Amino acid sequence: MKMLQTHFPGAARWLCTMSTDPAPSLWPPPFLLYLGNAPDELSGKTARGLAAFRPQWCVGQFRGPECKISLDLPDMDFAQARAAGANTMIVGVANAGGRIDPATVAHVVAALDAGMNVASGLHDRLAAYPEIVAAAQRNGRHLFDARTPPATPVGKGHKRAGKRLLTVGTDCSTGKMYTTLALETEMRARGLAADFRATGQTGIFIAGRGIPLDAVVADFISGGVEWLSPERHDNGWDLIEGQGSLFHPSFAGVSLGLLHGAQPDALVLCDEPGRPHMRGVAHFQLPRLSDTLEANLAAARLTNPAVVAVGVSLNTSKLSAEDAARVCAEAEDRLGLPAQDPVRNGVSRIVDRLLACFPD
């Protein structure tokens, strides 16, 4: 039994176009997506991301008795999932602090005893639980912790070749990963060199490589992004997945390190219209789009004084088509940038603006 953290070569594709990506060796598909007792949609974002971007690899879902969400996949227990061909159970939930509770420990052990590997994106390490380690050993199964970062240098801020776009947000979970993947797909469809750079556990599971920035020691965050997005000389773009928000009292440090390490040439601002307050801190209200954009541009200028904003990505999934069109139009009027919902409308106009700003 090996308890390793690894990355495998490959790049994300949009929805079902990713079938040619290589499979991970230590957490091979097909997958059973573990939702446990997820209380809301945001809690299951890792599993939902995999179901959306690697549907051909997802055979079913496991839900506890108090689970409030569904991925519209077949409900399976661990024996049923193994019989259906699942090789790995992905712990697809996210919670404040990234903790593994006792119920999840018991379910992970049961999945290992059923013959599956287990991969997790939580902060708590699978290998920290003796009962999980014992189950992996007696079954000859692998454990994979996506939030184990590689060793990275301290950021230096040296100008490096290549072009970079970073998604930023008004809050956590506003669609930065989805937007970045959509931009990659649109740009590749136009014959452009563009690569998604994952900075969170869901993106790492989708792309097969990346760095979990929220698990990196603070002094090394900007250096971790420099490591993730090194020099490139093919006139292509690194599309870097954003994290958190400069306005979030819990996670602004990660967002700032990302801005400095990415040295972005371009920013895309992500928001969910109508969200009542910052995620997890009800006493903090959402910042205005204009304030968010100004703050991110100001911070980004430390390592790239020429940075520009090229678009706004809005998650309008809770709005009617009419209201979605209205909020996009209002954002365009206020900021003078193309505003689109990547799921409803794609990101073609944002890419048009990007290419107009960077014609070479």
Side-chain angles (χ1 to χ4, degrees):
M1 188 275 297
K2 297 180 181 179
M3 289 174 289
L4 299 177
Q5 291 76 42
T6 187
H7 307 297
F8 61 91
R13 306 288 190 272
W14 186 249
L15 296 177
C16 296
T17 63
M18 299 179 292
S19 59
T20 59
D21 282 349
S25 59
L26 296 185
W27 40 288
F31 299 144
L32 172 68
L33 301 181
Y34 177 84
L35 294 172
N37 291 312
D40 53 41
E41 290 291 341
L42 288 178
S43 299
K45 66 177 185 177
T46 295
R48 188 167 296 283
L50 277 164
F53 293 104
R54 291 201 183 278
Q56 73 279 13
W57 284 6
C58 302
V59 301
Q61 62 185 12
F62 176 87
R63 297 191 294 165
E66 299 178 13
C67 186
K68 304 299 183 185
I69 65 173
S70 174
L71 305 173
D72 297 323
L73 291 171
D75 286 301
M76 297 179 176
D77 63 25
F78 307 115
Q80 290 169 335
R82 187 71 185 105
N87 287 317
T88 302
M89 184 177 81
I90 303 290
V91 180
V93 290
N95 55 50
R99 303 306 178 196
I100 299 178
D101 61 25
T104 302
V105 171
H107 290 149
V108 168
V109 169
L112 291 163
D113 284 339
M116 287 182 281
N117 306 298
V118 177
S120 171
L122 295 172
H123 282 293
D124 278 359
R125 302 295 191 264
L126 295 168
Y129 293 85
E131 55 268 63
I132 290 178
V133 173
Q137 288 175 337
R138 68 174 172 262
N139 292 290
R141 298 295 90 195
H142 297 300
L143 302 176
F144 175 82
D145 285 302
R147 268 189 164 129
T148 300
T152 60
V154 173
K156 298 299 184 183
H158 295 307
K159 182 64 177 175
R160 55 197 193 273
K163 293 176 289 188
R164 293 165 186 86
L165 179 147
L166 174 67
T167 50
V168 298
T170 54
D171 193 6
C172 306
S173 305
T174 53
K176 294 181 283 290
M177 182 193 74
Y178 276 69
T179 300
T180 311
L181 286 163
L183 289 165
E184 180 197 53
T185 300
E186 176 68 23
M187 293 174 73
R188 288 186 172 189
R190 300 187 188 198
L192 302 170
D195 296 290
F196 172 72
R197 303 299 186 192
T199 60
Q201 73 275 17
T202 308
I204 291 170
F205 283 137
I206 291 169
R209 58 182 298 173
I211 183 170
L213 277 184
D214 59 1
V216 174
V217 175
D219 279 357
F220 299 91
I221 291 175
S222 62
V225 185
E226 292 179 0
W227 171 88
L228 177 69
S229 177
E231 288 195 348
R232 64 182 299 166
H233 299 276
D234 61 351
N235 201 37
W237 283 85
D238 276 2
L239 307 175
I240 302 171
E241 174 192 12
Q243 296 292 331
S245 169
L246 287 180
F247 288 82
H248 199 293
S250 305
F251 310 119
V254 175
S255 306
L256 184 62
L258 246 173
L259 281 160
H260 292 163
Q263 295 182 12
D265 300 283
L267 298 180
V268 172
L269 174 62
C270 302
D271 179 57
E272 181 184 7
R275 185 176 291 191
H277 56 75
M278 303 290 278
R279 187 185 180 196
V281 283
H283 53 295
F284 274 79
Q285 299 302 304
L286 270 293
R288 296 187 303 177
L289 290 177
S290 57
D291 291 342
T292 305
L293 192 58
E294 290 171 8
N296 278 276
L297 287 168
R301 290 188 186 109
L302 177 70
T303 54
N304 188 350
V307 61
V308 297
V310 297
V312 181
S313 174
L314 299 178
N315 176 358
T316 65
S317 59
K318 297 180 181 178
L319 303 179
S320 67
E322 293 76 13
D323 286 341
R326 175 181 54 79
V327 298
C328 286
E330 289 173 352
E332 292 198 8
D333 290 341
R334 287 197 301 270
L335 300 177
L337 296 169
Q340 296 185 275
D341 182 320
V343 176
R344 290 182 189 259
N345 314 119
V347 291
S348 60
R349 294 175 55 242
I350 296 175
V351 172
D352 288 343
R353 174 63 68 90
L354 175 69
L355 298 180
C357 293
F358 300 90
D360 297 329

